[in-house]
Amino acid sequence: MFDGYDSCSEDTSSSSSSDESEEEVSPLPSSLPIIKNNGQVYTYPDGKSGMATCEMCGMVGVRDAFYSKTKRFCSVSCSRSYSSNSKKASILARLQGKPPTKKAKVLQKQPLVAKLAAYAQYQATLQNQAKTKAAVPVEGFSWGSYINSNSFTAAPVTCFKHAPMGTCWGDISEGVRVEVPNTDCSLPTKVFWIAGIVKLAGYNALLRYEGFENDSNLDFWCNVCGSDIHPVGWCATSGKPLVPPRTIQHKYTNWKAFLVKRLTGAKTLPPDFSQKVSESMQYPFKTSMRVEVVDKTHLCRTRVAVVENVIGGRLRLVYEESEDKTDDFWCHMYSPLIHHIGWSRSIGHRFKRSGKPVSCQRCLWAVLTWRQVDTAGEWFKEGMKLEAIDPLNLSAICVATIRKVLADGYLMIGIDGSEAADGSDWFCYHATSPSIFPVGFCEINMIELTPPRGYTKLPFKWFDYLRETDSIAAPVKLFNKEVPNHGFHVGMKLEAVDLMEPRLVCVATVTRIIHRLLRIHFDGWEDEYDQWVDCESPDLYPVGWCQLTGYQLQPPAPQCKFCLVNNAVNMRLFLPLESIRS
């Protein structure tokens, strides 16, 4: 969720809790031979068994604090980067006709003491790659072929209320007739014919020209919201010719009578469908507007950012201090991570002031409003325990603690066993957030709960842990228990943001559903990269959303069985060199 940043538990130069005067945190100097973990300070005894060196970034640290069972990497970010670079080298080798090597090369960086410094250097490396290396010249990914060859089912557009046409999709279904360009024609001018929807996959529809009956040879996929799809009758009102495909011209002598018979009682698109599509793609955010957004390097605070781009409701926000506009953050306009100017001060949230005056004419009040909560009676208190999705490892639901209660129902939460002493890695969730759960949620729903780092009394038992820590569980009645009729089913395909690298939107699958909680798997990637997200998350989109909005879609990773046989099904890979899933 925070652009690959994995931890900020190192010592920092500022721990001010001021709402609007918090200073920039500097990385530790590389000469300082210490590392902090869970509040303890260790020296670097080179060669001793208690230490480990990250194979990705070269960072030296306490072995027990390293990621994965093999302890090869210091963080999820480095593990992903190592894996991603290895896979890219393999792809390039195949595209260039080279035999695969046993071990792909990965990025190497000098050893760093502080994880923040490692992260900063890694980001700089990616930026340099983007400037100096061209994209791999390979063709694009096709949702239609991917779905056809595997008989996949896509989540319907109505599952995504925040997406274009999500609330006004209507009765568009199989059997609906439309007027589309006739590509089976030798005429020099553009002509049209009527086609029926054979299969729907999000915005995409598999169409068959009227008159082909059970012949699927000329079936084709297109985006229903595209400019070439029209309701039946559009050609007549627009003066466009309806011409039957050349392949079936001989089948009937009276095509007009044939169409009248076939279209009687059939459904088509609403007359104002294209207008509704256009209206649903108008967004209140404009470039140069300013907002407060989470600081991706210090989750506990917000910063001012400027809207640089708006694509399909997704915002590229550039932090105000970034002179070259490379320090950015992607999120949807409905994301809980962005707020209006002044929000942090109003609720008591930490804020990094840039020192620049903010023009009210360029500020925007938040589009997303949380449900009002009554804090007068029994309410959350500091020290209460709960379970929460870790924003730095979205595949994990962890033991967590409420560290601070803010105004308007907001809570600062820390992951037990992984917190920095100054609270710089606390994160803000609203009390109604679907990402926090009462004690026992994972056990009841057979989800693996991640215990505090370093906790040895396994299997983890909440009763014992509460007694040992002399703490209490947050009351169950305070959590959001509303479960909407979302329409998702296990196995459905969709396009989903990789929240660990939020500029990427990837081919994904729903693999598990717990009430309103969805487990999202990125096709072709290992399960450890899965993400728990809410069914109403603005980071989930229907199949075809990227094509509709002009956003780049990341296809399945190359080890996916489908991708390995791409020649047989006319599939192609697209993985730019600078696109690394960190």
Side-chain angles (χ1 to χ4, degrees):
M1 180 180 293
F2 299 100
D3 210 17
Y5 181 70
D6 180 71
S7 175
C8 48
S9 60
E10 283 74 34
D11 209 0
T12 55
S13 62
S14 173
S15 58
S16 171
S17 60
S18 171
D19 297 337
E20 54 182 3
S21 61
E22 184 161 331
E23 299 296 327
E24 177 67 66
V25 177
S26 302
L28 289 170
S30 57
S31 60
L32 189 62
I34 63 170
I35 182 172
K36 287 191 67 177
N37 183 57
N38 297 337
Q40 293 181 304
V41 180
Y42 298 84
T43 57
Y44 282 106
D46 293 338
K48 292 190 177 181
S49 60
M51 308 302 291
T53 301
C54 179
E55 294 184 19
M56 180 62 203
C57 70
M59 175 182 173
V60 180
V62 181
R63 175 176 293 274
D64 289 343
F66 269 43
Y67 175 72
S68 80
K69 294 180 180 179
T70 59
K71 308 301 182 186
R72 296 172 58 198
F73 306 103
C74 66
S75 66
V76 178
S77 300
C78 283
S79 174
R80 291 190 180 199
S81 299
Y82 187 96
S83 175
S84 178
N85 278 275
S86 299
K87 290 163 187 170
K88 284 184 179 59
S90 177
I91 296 169
L92 288 172
R94 286 203 301 274
L95 292 174
Q96 296 168 1
K98 299 177 182 178
T101 58
K102 292 184 178 180
K103 186 175 182 180
K105 294 182 179 179
V106 299
L107 296 175
Q108 294 294 333
K109 299 192 287 290
Q110 296 300 317
L112 300 174
V113 176
K115 187 106 40 102
L116 287 176
Y119 173 73
Q121 182 170 340
Y122 174 60
Q123 290 293 86
T125 302
L126 295 187
Q127 292 164 10
N128 290 334
Q129 285 183 333
K131 294 176 182 177
T132 59
K133 294 186 178 180
V136 182
V138 290
E139 299 176 81
F141 170 79
S142 168
W143 260 119
S145 298
Y146 188 45
I147 289 175
N148 269 357
S149 60
N150 296 277
S151 300
F152 290 141
T153 300
V157 174
T158 52
C159 290
F160 310 87
K161 305 303 181 186
H162 59 281
M165 301 299 291
T167 58
C168 51
W169 190 244
D171 296 327
I172 300 175
S173 59
E174 296 177 7
V176 167
R177 306 301 206 282
V178 292
E179 293 180 353
V180 295
N182 177 5
T183 58
D184 183 27
C185 181
S186 57
L187 295 176
T189 58
K190 188 176 184 178
V191 297
F192 293 79
W193 189 238
I194 293 171
I197 296 178
V198 178
K199 184 175 182 178
L200 268 177
Y203 293 117
N204 295 345
L206 180 63
L207 298 178
R208 181 174 300 170
Y209 287 122
E210 203 63 63
F212 274 78
E213 309 302 336
N214 296 320
D215 184 357
S216 62
N217 286 331
L218 288 185
D219 287 2
F220 59 98
W221 285 89
C222 68
N223 197 302
V224 176
C225 296
S227 58
D228 275 337
I229 309 298
H230 308 282
V232 172
W234 177 84
C235 285
T237 59
S238 303
K240 304 292 183 181
L242 275 176
V243 178
R246 180 175 51 185
T247 304
I248 58 171
Q249 276 183 340
H250 64 280
K251 290 184 66 174
Y252 301 97
T253 56
N254 189 341
W255 281 100
K256 182 177 180 179
F258 168 79
L259 289 180
V260 169
K261 181 179 179 181
R262 292 288 295 172
L263 298 179
T264 299
K267 293 181 180 180
T268 188
L269 300 177
D272 60 346
F273 185 77
S274 61
Q275 180 182 345
K276 287 183 177 179
V277 171
S278 178
E279 291 174 352
S280 68
M281 295 182 67
Q282 301 299 314
Y283 309 106
F285 281 87
K286 309 298 179 185
T287 56
S288 299
M289 284 182 171
R290 283 169 165 75
V291 297
E292 289 184 9
V293 64
V294 68
D295 185 341
K296 65 183 180 183
T297 60
H298 289 77
L299 310 186
C300 65
R301 70 185 183 189
T302 58
R303 297 167 63 182
V304 173
V306 181
V307 178
E308 185 70 17
N309 300 99
V310 182
I311 305 178
R314 300 204 78 223
L315 312 177
R316 178 177 176 254
L317 302 171
V318 176
Y319 291 114
E320 199 169 46
E321 300 87 345
S322 178
E323 295 182 0
D324 59 359
K325 296 186 177 182
T326 58
D327 189 10
D328 62 359
F329 184 78
W330 279 93
C331 65
H332 193 272
M333 65 180 185
Y334 290 148
S335 171
L337 303 176
I338 59 173
H339 309 275
H340 62 83
I341 296 295
W343 173 84
S344 296
R345 180 174 186 142
S346 69
I347 71 160
H349 194 281
R350 293 172 72 174
F351 175 77
K352 180 191 175 187
R353 183 165 53 183
S354 65
K356 297 181 180 180
V358 180
S359 169
C360 292
Q361 285 75 21
R362 292 191 177 274
C363 300
L364 188 73
W365 287 89
V367 177
L368 178 68
T369 55
W370 287 102
R371 187 177 65 193
Q372 294 295 319
V373 293
D374 181 14
T375 62
E378 187 175 13
W379 191 239
F380 293 102
K381 292 182 175 61
E382 291 183 18
M384 283 183 172
K385 300 292 183 181
L386 69 165
E387 298 175 5
I389 297 176
D390 184 353
L392 299 177
N393 181 12
L394 294 162
S395 66
I397 300 179
C398 306
V399 174
T401 303
I402 298 172
R403 292 305 182 188
K404 189 176 181 181
V405 179
L406 308 179
D408 296 340
Y410 287 94
L411 310 169
M412 296 302 294
I413 294 175
I415 299 297
D416 284 22
S418 304
E419 298 176 64
D422 62 355
S424 57
D425 55 357
W426 295 350
F427 48 95
C428 186
Y429 276 144
H430 193 265
T432 60
S433 170
S435 297
I436 59 175
F437 317 95
V439 164
F441 174 85
C442 285
E443 182 179 1
I444 292 172
N445 294 287
M446 292 181 289
I447 300 173
E448 183 179 356
L449 176 66
T450 302
R453 179 180 292 177
Y455 189 76
T456 58
K457 295 183 179 180
L458 302 176
F460 178 86
K461 299 294 183 183
W462 263 116
F463 180 81
D464 295 337
Y465 185 68
L466 291 174
R467 184 183 58 203
E468 293 166 6
T469 57
D470 192 24
S471 54
I472 62 173
V476 175
K477 65 180 181 180
L478 299 181
F479 292 86
N480 179 11
K481 294 179 283 294
E482 180 184 354
V483 181
N485 184 18
H486 48 70
F488 286 103
H489 297 288
V490 171
M492 282 183 169
K493 297 292 179 181
L494 69 164
E495 297 176 3
V497 175
D498 177 358
L499 293 168
M500 301 306 294
E501 181 61 75
R503 64 189 175 88
L504 302 182
V505 178
C506 311
V507 172
T509 307
V510 178
T511 58
R512 194 173 179 195
I513 301 174
I514 306 295
H515 307 306
R516 63 181 299 149
L517 195 63
L518 309 180
R519 180 86 170 180
I520 301 299
H521 174 76
F522 295 107
D523 287 18
W525 290 86
E526 292 82 0
D527 292 347
E528 64 188 270
Y529 302 138
D530 289 1
Q531 296 177 169
W532 287 108
V533 298
D534 182 57
C535 64
E536 295 182 341
S537 168
D539 295 306
L540 304 178
Y541 307 103
V543 165
W545 179 87
C546 283
Q547 179 189 7
L548 175 63
T549 61
Y551 204 94
Q552 179 176 306
L553 176 67
Q554 302 297 314
Q559 76 271 25
C560 175
K561 181 179 179 181
F562 160 76
C563 294
L564 292 178
V565 294
N566 53 20
N567 291 331
V569 295
N570 196 29
M571 285 292 92
R572 279 79 59 185
L573 302 174
F574 180 75
L575 279 175
L577 288 173
E578 70 271 21
S579 175
I580 296 180
R581 294 172 55 90
S582 56

